């Protein structure tokens, strides 16, 4: 069992930066792929970025070069550094942890980017 708690969302002007954090508790976090997803109003939840326990990353094309995902397996934390934010980045951002058998979600943190 893994519990995930996100923090760091908020309101920022276009071009600004935010850093989201996800703290995990419970099971062996280092064995899970950690990811960030987002859901804008009226849209489906979409992948933002993922990072494996070994540090391999995948990014959505829309955030490449602007967002950076990282993790600290010792501290059981994951982060999403978001730079050069755009109004279209406005969404609820969710932390996710998964392996071949199960996946877990955080409660979400709101990010609003004003133009």
């Amino acid at each position: 069992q893994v519990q995930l708690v996100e923090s760091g969302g908020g309101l920022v002007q276009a071009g600004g930066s935010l850093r989201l954090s996800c703290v995990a508790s419970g099971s062996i976090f280092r064995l899970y792929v950690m990811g960030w997803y987002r859901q804008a109003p009226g849209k489906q939840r979409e992948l933002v970025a993922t990072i494996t326990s070994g540090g391999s990353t995948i990014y959505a094309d829309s955030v490449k070069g602007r967002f950076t995902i990282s993790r600290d397996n010792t501290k059981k934390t994951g982060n999403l550094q978001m730079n050069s934010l755009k109004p279209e980045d406005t969404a609820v951002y969710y932390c996710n942890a998964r392996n071949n058998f199960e996946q877990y979600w955080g409660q979400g943190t709101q990010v609003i980017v004003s133009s």
Side-chain angles (χ1 to χ4, degrees):
Q1 189 80 9
V2 176
Q3 295 81 42
L4 304 171
V5 178
E6 304 101 332
S7 63
L11 173 64
V12 65
Q13 289 188 333
S17 298
L18 282 175
R19 184 177 178 85
L20 305 184
S21 295
C22 177
V23 179
S25 61
S27 190
I28 307 174
F29 174 71
R30 61 180 176 83
L31 298 181
Y32 289 78
V33 175
M34 206 221 89
W36 289 93
Y37 292 72
R38 67 187 181 187
Q39 187 166 17
K43 295 187 177 180
Q44 290 188 333
R45 191 172 298 188
E46 64 176 5
L47 170 72
V48 176
T50 64
I51 184 168
T52 68
S53 58
S56 297
T57 58
I58 294 175
Y59 292 94
D61 288 343
S62 59
V63 307
K64 282 181 181 177
R66 299 188 298 122
F67 291 11
T68 302
I69 189 171
S70 62
R71 67 189 290 169
D72 185 327
N73 292 330
T74 300
K75 297 180 179 179
K76 296 185 180 180
T77 59
N79 295 293
L80 184 69
Q81 178 66 42
M82 306 187 293
N83 299 328
S84 301
L85 283 160
K86 304 175 181 180
E88 50 264 44
D89 295 318
T90 294
V92 177
Y93 284 71
Y94 297 90
C95 179
N96 172 275
R98 62 176 172 82
N99 60 19
N100 290 338
F101 308 101
E102 56 198 359
Q103 70 171 343
Y104 301 93
W105 295 93
Q107 83 286 355
T109 184
Q110 177 76 56
V111 171
I112 300 173
V113 184
S114 63
S115 58

